Amino acid sequence: MTRLNRNLIIGGLLVLLILCTALVALVWTPYPPSKLDILHKLAQPSATHWLGTDAFGRDVLSMIMAGTQTSLSVSLLAVSLGAGIGVPLGALAASAGGWVDALIMRSSDLAFAFPALLTAIMITAITGPGAGNAMLAIGLFNIPVFARVTRGAALAVRELDYVQAARATGRGEFSIMARHVLPNISAVLLVQITIQFALGILAEAGLSYLGLGTQPPQPSWGRMLNDAQTFIFRAPQLAIFPGLAITLAVLGLNLLGDGLRDLLDPRLSQRR
Amino acid sequence: MLKLLLSKTLALLATVLAASLVVFVVLQVLPSDPAALMLGTEARPDTLAALRHQLGLDQPGWWRYLLWIGGLLRGNLGVSYTYSVPVAELIGARIGVTLPLALLSILLSTAIAIPVGVLSAARRGGPADTALMAGAQLGVAMPNFWLGILLILVFAVGLGWFPASGFAGWDRGPLAALHSLILPAFALALPQAAILSRVTRAAVLETLGQDYVRTARAKGLTATKALWRHAVPNALIPVVTIIGLQFSFLLAGTVIIENVFTLPGLGRLMFQSIAQRDLIVVQDLVVLLAGSVIVVNFAVDLVYMLLDPRIAAR
């Protein structure tokens, strides 16, 4: 039980920290994140610039704070897209069965044959780079994930007594799905949402690192790492902070997901 | 058993074919005219039309798909639009970087993850377990390209033990080539090892609680022997599954890692071909990669049946 609480608390605090940073960055950053100051370029961390400045004299802390917004919003929209389409598809597959089920599941098998990031790279490269296209490409790959998880969980719940009872009282499949099945698998979905959220942050950072995601002047953690690599011999500290931000965000979400899973499925937490 | 194998092989072929169709359709639907891109915005309409004719782009889509697939089946991957050399040649020249990199990463990841997972399962709840699993949490959260940059910072910029980028080439001897693959392989392997060690730990914990392990202990085996002879072998099935699944992440990972370390591999070829709208190369590469993912998953299924005969019986 202590392990469960620790994961949940540390993860929750990290996620809260990231969320607050994004909110604060909406109204305040130490400097405007895209303000150039060539005279003070590549400055070491100091009292005036806590995390130093980049090759254009931009304040690194301000850029990271603003990057939090980019990262969270792209990932949030991607997960919403994936869950928004994937969950109904999975529910449909579970309740319809037969060829509808087979069609949806075989299509999702097919989607899994393509390494997700690879196809995201392909899509963003061809539709043109940008935060919006990156969001779309990442969201597309969340669809089969949510479809599968929803179908699996829904199939298990559909056989339970209270669902059978609802069916016996003459409720339609749609109403059973909406009133009895989906609310009872919401815990599983919530855990999956935190996992996909974390993966979305990693994917956005990767695409932006390759120059296919968020475009300048909009600040982005992945892009900052790419810029930092050019100056790795002169200003190695630039390569540290954006990566640390990505890692903390992903770590927080993963811990939160683990903590939630243990909380919602006590059988699992006893085994640990 | 034979019947199962046959139906699985047929399903495999159907999936690869469906994958090729998806790739083709996606690349046709998305707005991009390779000919217009190659000639630039200044191109005259008649030269554009001539190039489109030369590349076969003026023919209907379904016919081009059949031509492409027919070629693939006969081992003809087509000719690159931008380099004007057979795609097979382009791939052949670069697979010597990507394949060893991927294999080295899988090897490293497995060699790290299994001892770590088994050790932390055996010392469950102890300080070693806590430390190793905290490390694994961190490893899962780190993006591999940042890990790559950190490795460059420490081992190339700081200590100077390895090159910061580039590939020595196999003609300079296997040692020189491997030397330039070590850092990228670690960057790819460590996050995968973090996931795999968690799976290994959970699987070993599961088997450690089984009756046959208790029986082994009761008949006088030491805890270590019972662990390695009975608990670990029985825990391997989920571990093998994850190793198989990781192959697909690894392939996608090479695209980024080859860019971090500027290695001339398939990932960089893919990246450049997309930028240059060299659609035929992109198509071939995606089918090759998706095909190898499908084949690896198939192989994992087979290993499953070998490890656990009950699965084939079902």
Side-chain angles (χ1 to χ4, degrees):
Chain A
M1 285 304 277
T2 53
R3 192 190 160 85
L4 170 167
N5 290 330
R6 202 171 56 206
N7 280 347
L8 202 63
I9 292 170
I10 300 178
L13 284 177
L14 275 175
V15 172
L16 204 65
L17 174 78
I18 304 283
L19 276 177
C20 289
T21 309
L23 289 177
V24 169
L26 275 178
V27 291
W28 178 83
T29 48
Y31 296 83
S34 44
K35 186 185 154 226
L36 308 182
D37 182 4
I38 294 296
L39 285 179
H40 298 102
K41 67 175 182 179
L42 297 176
Q44 291 289 326
S46 66
T48 41
H49 293 281
W50 287 8
L51 301 184
T53 60
D54 76 352
F56 299 101
R58 290 175 293 190
D59 181 56
V60 171
L61 178 61
S62 306
M63 288 174 77
I64 288 185
M65 285 177 71
T68 313
Q69 277 173 25
T70 313
S71 190
L72 288 192
S73 47
V74 168
S75 195
L76 184 70
L77 288 171
V79 172
S80 313
L81 179 75
I85 300 177
V87 171
L89 273 181
L92 178 68
S95 56
W99 66 269
V100 176
D101 184 22
L103 180 71
I104 293 175
M105 283 304 111
R106 289 295 82 74
S107 321
S108 88
D109 283 348
L110 189 60
F112 279 112
F114 298 95
L117 190 59
L118 202 74
T119 315
I121 288 170
M122 193 170 84
I123 293 176
T124 44
I126 292 173
T127 55
N133 288 334
M135 186 275 292
L136 211 67
I138 301 167
L140 223 54
F141 274 88
N142 279 322
I143 297 175
V145 175
F146 280 103
R148 269 200 185 180
V149 170
T150 308
R151 174 181 177 272
L155 280 180
V157 169
R158 275 168 52 85
E159 299 311 315
L160 296 179
D161 286 343
Y162 60 85
V163 178
Q164 299 286 3
R167 196 167 291 133
T169 61
R171 278 195 183 278
E173 280 296 330
F174 182 79
S175 147
I176 289 176
M177 196 44 84
R179 288 201 178 195
H180 297 284
V181 177
L182 284 181
N184 280 293
I185 64 170
S186 56
V188 181
L189 293 179
L190 191 64
V191 171
Q192 196 64 42
I193 284 172
T194 58
I195 296 172
Q196 296 309 119
F197 204 129
L199 288 177
I201 289 178
L202 282 176
E204 192 276 332
L207 288 175
S208 297
Y209 172 80
L210 289 175
L212 299 171
T214 314
Q215 294 300 302
Q218 197 182 356
S220 133
W221 295 339
R223 188 96 203 169
M224 288 175 77
L225 281 175
N226 190 333
D227 294 343
Q229 217 184 336
T230 323
F231 297 94
I232 196 158
F233 288 95
R234 282 176 63 194
Q237 80 276 4
L238 286 178
I240 306 285
F241 302 116
L244 213 55
I246 302 171
T247 306
L248 284 180
V250 176
L251 183 68
L253 284 162
N254 281 343
L255 286 175
L256 187 67
D258 280 2
L260 281 175
R261 180 166 45 210
D262 292 350
L263 186 73
L264 301 166
D265 188 352
R267 199 185 68 89
L268 268 176
S269 69
Q270 273 164 20
R271 242 193 7 218
R272 284 176 180 249
Chain B
M1 181 74 185
L2 200 68
K3 215 175 128 189
L4 188 72
L5 214 65
L6 198 71
S7 74
K8 271 192 176 287
T9 313
L10 280 179
L12 174 92
L13 289 177
T15 320
V16 177
L17 203 65
S20 75
L21 188 62
V22 170
V23 175
F24 188 84
V25 170
V26 167
L27 287 178
Q28 301 308 311
V29 169
L30 293 171
S32 56
D33 182 352
L37 250 130
M38 286 164 72
L39 293 176
T41 44
E42 312 278 296
R44 295 214 323 265
D46 52 330
T47 38
L48 198 65
L51 184 64
R52 287 179 61 84
H53 180 72
Q54 189 199 330
L55 297 175
L57 290 171
D58 51 351
Q59 285 154 11
W62 61 270
W63 178 242
R64 277 186 290 145
Y65 176 72
L66 286 183
L67 277 182
W68 175 51
I69 283 297
L72 283 188
L73 290 177
R74 281 175 284 126
N76 175 10
L77 303 182
V79 176
S80 156
Y81 298 162
T82 38
Y83 298 103
S84 302
V85 293
V87 181
E89 233 169 73
L90 287 177
I91 292 179
R94 285 159 179 83
I95 205 159
V97 178
T98 303
L99 200 63
L101 177 61
L103 289 177
L104 197 59
S105 310
I106 289 205
L107 214 67
L108 276 174
S109 143
T110 315
I112 296 168
I114 290 188
V116 167
V118 172
L119 183 70
S120 57
R123 303 277 166 80
R124 175 188 177 189
D129 179 27
T130 312
L132 287 174
M133 284 304 112
Q137 273 286 8
L138 205 63
V140 175
M142 277 172 100
N144 55 15
F145 59 94
W146 185 48
L147 192 62
I149 296 174
L150 290 184
L151 290 174
I152 292 177
L153 260 181
V154 176
F155 294 101
V157 177
L159 297 168
W161 291 355
F162 297 96
S165 68
F167 182 65
W170 290 104
D171 44 343
R172 302 248 318 263
L175 275 181
L178 281 178
H179 188 237
S180 46
L181 289 181
I182 297 268
L183 287 188
F186 264 102
L188 273 172
L190 287 179
Q192 304 295 329
I195 299 172
L196 196 60
S197 66
R198 294 174 60 168
V199 174
T200 309
R201 177 181 179 274
V204 173
L205 279 184
E206 181 97 36
T207 51
L208 272 178
Q210 300 290 324
D211 288 342
Y212 53 79
V213 174
R214 193 159 11 122
T215 312
R217 289 282 282 136
K219 75 170 194 189
L221 249 60
T222 61
T224 318
K225 276 189 177 164
L227 176 72
W228 286 103
R229 279 199 203 160
H230 296 280
V232 174
N234 280 298
L236 282 182
I237 287 189
V239 175
V240 170
T241 319
I242 300 296
I243 295 178
L245 284 176
Q246 287 190 333
F247 186 71
S248 126
F249 286 100
L250 217 81
L251 285 178
T254 54
V255 180
I256 291 195
I257 290 296
E258 285 177 4
N259 271 290
V260 175
F261 290 90
T262 42
L263 296 175
L266 291 182
R268 255 185 99 72
L269 176 65
M270 167 109 176
F271 190 68
Q272 287 161 349
S273 312
I274 290 173
Q276 293 157 342
R277 297 299 188 276
D278 201 342
L279 292 191
I280 186 91
V281 179
V282 179
Q283 272 165 220
D284 285 341
L285 278 174
V286 175
V287 166
L288 184 76
L289 295 180
S292 52
V293 169
I294 295 169
V295 170
V296 166
N297 286 346
F298 178 69
V300 167
D301 273 359
L302 289 186
V303 173
Y304 250 44
M305 287 196 265
L306 288 176
L307 287 178
D308 188 349
R310 282 174 305 179
I311 293 174
R314 269 211 297 270

